[in-house]
Amino acid sequence: HAMFWSMAVNVGLFTAGSAWATPGPLESRQARRFVDVFRAGDASEPPQWRADTPVAAVRALLARFLGADRTRRALDGHFRGRGLDPDGVEHGDVELMTFAEKLLAGSTGAASAHVALRSVAEEHRLDPDEVFSLLDETSRVLATSRELEDKSRQLERASGELRRANARLRELDRLKDDFLATMTHELRTPLTSIRAFTEILHDRPDLPEAKRREFLGIVLKENERLSRLIGQVLDLGKIESENLADFVDVPPGDLVHDAAATFRGRFESGGVRIELDVPEDLPALRVDRDRVQQVLVNLLSNALRVLQGDGHVRLEAALRPPGGDRRFVELAVVDDGPGVPEADRETIFDKFRQARGSSHGTGLGLAICRGIVERHGGEIWIETSDLGGARFAFTLPVAESPPDGGDPAP
Amino acid sequence: MSHRILIVEDEPNIVISLEFLLGEEGYDVALAGSGEEALEHVARRRPDLVLLDVMLPGIDGFEVCRRLRTEPGAPQVILLTARGREAEKIMGLDLGAACYVTKPFSTRDLLADIRRCLAVESDV
């Protein structure tokens, strides 16, 4: 807005300057025209082009706005159309000036074209109408320029968003490449053992029976490992891309008891004690029951593995202190095994990030757990347990409580 | 005197298969489960050939190969890898490996590669 008024004042000053700086007869003519403005009907006097304007001057003016080439083409066309030799005309006539004005109006606006041509034709006069027209044009140009500025700011924002999206896509692409490279490695490793032992068995029919059985056992085990890996990759894909099954309301106690029952035989036969710490009055959870069962089973089998047949496991459930709008129940599998080093606690849930050398797992179990918990809107983490080992904990949302006059939000 | 070969590999079942195959051929076989162990073993025992897995815990196979090959009188190195991208193969050979074997490998081809490497070694 301020810019508009500053332009307006400038144009005004220029008008006044050109009017009063011009000496003698022109000055008086200007003065007359200013007075004439206030007489109705007199302002629409048609422009009178003098027929003696040098063509070179018109050409130079047009060239400033249209470029030399376009000007030459246009003027040549104009003269030829009238049967004139373009190079033979020295002074423009009314027809030329009208043509030039139209041509120029396309680039500068009609009022500016008119004034500019007049100044070339040495009829350097500005009347108030022309000034107002110039102001109109200027304000339109300013409005357009403001619009363009807005548009360019919008474009800037959009391009920032695109840049961020692009960076995110690149990161995803890199993760996908990493995943594929690791996947390739994880698939080829068991295949290597299978191929080597199959060839050994195939090429040596006289292998002692004990060796034969040992090698066949390895082939079978590596086969199982491969199947398990493929199963888990498919599982992970499903968890990441598909919707979870129907959510049902389940008391946390049921989930914990079911998981413990699955394992009780295996734990106790191996000398591992398992205990439950689950209050009776916990609210029901809204979950995909089979998937949550899978999380508990994965965590329990990890615990069973690290304890190697001797130790103590506790399954816990507790209401999380109300920190937000939704309430959660925290479930945890606690053991007194060797624990997980601080440095590995962030990455242990990533795909294939298991400590190498622990060739039992596929490196996908915890990634699957995290996927399932996050699809429920919960979190999963690991901390040091009060038993000295690891505590794998995760949260799941409580089912919507029935509208029985619950307390208002704090 | 039989050639000494060091197997550097952290997959137990692959180690068992390589140990069996090389032992059957009459080589003197030693094992290392990490890059650090491999470097230490080579400095002490001077094997003729190192069968080196690329994906090792700690120092990886490429780095072990680079360090081994800069020493005078370095052993021949055969790189074993389950990754097997062309760029990695070129990198391995640039680092001075005699050959680059992709897992899963043919046991017969691997034994032939080992014989070839050791023959080159004896000619020098």
Side-chain angles (χ1 to χ4, degrees):
Chain A
H1 207 67
M3 214 167 116
F4 169 73
W5 282 114
S6 115
M7 282 294 284
V9 167
N10 273 318
V11 172
L13 284 175
F14 168 74
T15 309
S18 48
W20 298 114
T22 324
L26 213 83
E27 184 181 318
S28 55
R29 215 164 60 190
Q30 249 349 79
R32 230 179 15 251
R33 291 198 61 82
F34 268 102
V35 174
D36 284 349
V37 166
F38 303 103
R39 291 189 197 151
D42 206 13
S44 56
E45 178 190 351
Q48 291 298 312
W49 293 115
R50 286 174 11 192
D52 57 353
T53 310
V55 172
V58 175
R59 192 184 289 276
L61 172 69
L62 290 178
R64 263 180 78 170
F65 292 97
L66 308 178
D69 287 347
R70 203 178 139 202
T71 302
R72 196 178 52 248
R73 276 199 306 278
L75 289 183
D76 286 2
H78 170 77
F79 288 130
R80 285 211 188 87
R82 295 169 61 194
L84 297 169
D85 170 17
D87 298 320
V89 188
E90 283 189 14
H91 289 94
D93 52 11
V94 175
E95 221 172 315
L96 170 70
M97 297 305 278
T98 310
F99 172 74
E101 188 182 355
K102 266 188 199 154
L103 198 58
L104 196 54
S107 296
T108 63
S112 308
H114 188 68
V115 170
L117 274 167
R118 274 192 162 194
S119 73
V120 168
E122 293 169 303
E123 290 191 21
H124 192 182
R125 306 176 307 181
L126 282 173
D127 64 32
D129 275 352
E130 286 169 337
V131 172
F132 291 135
S133 300
L134 279 176
L135 288 174
D136 277 351
E137 253 170 36
T138 311
S139 70
R140 275 198 302 277
V141 167
L142 282 173
T144 309
S145 136
R146 266 196 303 276
E147 258 171 50
L148 283 174
E149 263 175 51
D150 280 351
K151 286 250 158 55
S152 110
R153 265 195 296 275
Q154 280 170 15
L155 274 174
E156 225 169 88
R157 269 198 300 277
S159 96
E161 275 161 28
L162 279 175
R163 258 200 309 279
R164 279 189 293 279
N166 191 33
R168 174 81 189 125
L169 281 176
R170 276 170 195 277
E171 170 67 7
L172 283 176
D173 199 45
R174 196 186 59 74
L175 286 175
K176 187 206 74 195
D177 283 352
D178 284 358
F179 179 76
L180 272 179
T182 316
M183 207 39 226
T184 307
H185 179 268
E186 296 300 309
L187 288 171
R188 280 179 171 167
T189 299
L191 276 176
T192 305
S193 300
I194 291 170
R195 175 160 186 186
F197 284 112
T198 308
E199 285 185 12
I200 289 169
L201 288 162
H202 179 266
D203 294 350
R204 292 162 187 77
D206 304 333
L207 212 61
E209 180 60 16
K211 278 273 173 232
R212 212 178 61 82
R213 290 192 69 84
E214 183 197 341
F215 292 171
L216 276 172
I218 293 175
V219 170
L220 282 175
K221 240 191 230 147
E222 293 290 346
N223 237 310
E224 279 164 22
R225 176 175 163 190
L226 208 48
S227 304
R228 203 166 52 232
L229 176 65
I230 291 167
Q232 293 207 318
V233 169
L234 292 176
D235 220 14
L236 196 61
K238 258 189 228 158
I239 289 164
E240 285 177 356
S241 65
E242 288 173 19
N243 287 329
L244 296 172
D246 289 339
F247 280 59
V248 290
D249 293 357
V250 190
D254 289 9
L255 291 168
V256 172
H257 284 288
D258 285 359
T262 317
F263 276 85
R264 192 146 260 146
R266 283 164 66 190
F267 270 109
E268 283 167 359
S269 67
V272 173
R273 276 173 303 127
I274 178 164
E275 67 175 70
L276 306 184
D277 179 7
V278 184
E280 287 297 317
D281 58 347
L282 289 175
L285 300 171
R286 171 71 49 86
V287 294
D288 178 335
R289 185 169 187 155
D290 290 344
R291 288 297 187 191
V292 171
Q293 207 61 49
Q294 194 181 354
V295 175
L296 283 169
V297 166
N298 269 345
L299 295 179
L300 277 168
S301 49
N302 280 352
L304 188 61
R305 194 161 64 227
V306 299
L307 292 178
Q308 295 184 329
D310 178 30
H312 185 190
V313 173
R314 191 169 65 223
L315 273 166
E316 300 173 353
L319 196 62
R320 287 279 275 175
D325 298 338
R326 294 174 79 188
R327 290 194 304 165
F328 289 87
V329 164
E330 179 179 320
L331 294 155
V333 177
V334 186
D335 67 56
D336 62 351
V340 175
E342 191 89 41
D344 296 337
R345 289 183 189 175
E346 281 292 320
T347 56
I348 199 169
F349 295 102
D350 293 347
K351 295 163 199 155
F352 299 119
R353 284 295 179 84
Q354 65 174 342
R356 282 197 45 92
S358 68
S359 56
H360 304 278
T362 55
L364 290 177
L366 287 175
I368 289 174
C369 289
R370 182 172 64 181
I372 293 171
V373 171
E374 287 181 353
R375 288 302 297 267
H376 281 87
E379 279 181 282
I380 187 166
W381 68 95
I382 180 171
E383 55 201 11
T384 305
S385 82
D386 57 341
L387 303 175
R391 180 175 191 273
F392 283 88
F394 59 100
T395 50
L396 291 172
V398 166
E400 303 280 315
S401 46
D404 55 357
D407 39 355
Chain B
M1 195 190 81
S2 61
H3 287 290
R4 286 197 301 263
I5 299 181
L6 174 66
I7 298 170
V8 191
E9 168 67 70
D10 67 331
E11 268 293 317
N13 289 336
I14 297 177
V15 173
I16 295 171
S17 68
L18 291 172
E19 206 180 1
F20 174 83
L21 286 165
L22 300 183
E24 204 183 44
E25 295 287 309
Y27 296 119
D28 180 357
V29 181
L31 308 176
S34 70
E36 288 83 350
E37 243 181 89
L39 290 169
E40 199 183 301
H41 179 97
V42 170
R44 222 159 16 86
R45 300 284 312 279
R46 299 261 146 222
D48 302 299
L49 178 85
V50 179
L51 263 185
L52 182 59
D53 182 34
V54 172
M55 288 268 281
L56 291 168
I59 311 174
D60 76 6
F62 287 130
E63 179 59 18
V64 172
C65 181
R66 193 188 63 76
R67 291 199 203 170
L68 285 180
R69 295 296 299 176
T70 49
E71 307 252 326
Q76 295 281 343
V77 174
I78 293 180
L79 281 170
L80 294 175
T81 180
R83 295 169 75 105
R85 285 186 188 156
E86 194 59 25
E88 289 173 0
K89 177 173 181 173
I90 292 165
M91 179 164 136
L93 297 178
D94 282 351
L95 289 171
C99 57
Y100 189 92
V101 174
T102 308
K103 294 174 182 176
F105 47 79
S106 143
T107 51
R108 275 173 246 166
D109 290 353
L110 180 68
L111 289 174
D113 284 335
I114 291 171
R115 275 194 291 275
R116 193 166 46 76
C117 284
L118 290 170
V120 171
E121 169 84 354
S122 319
D123 289 348
V124 174

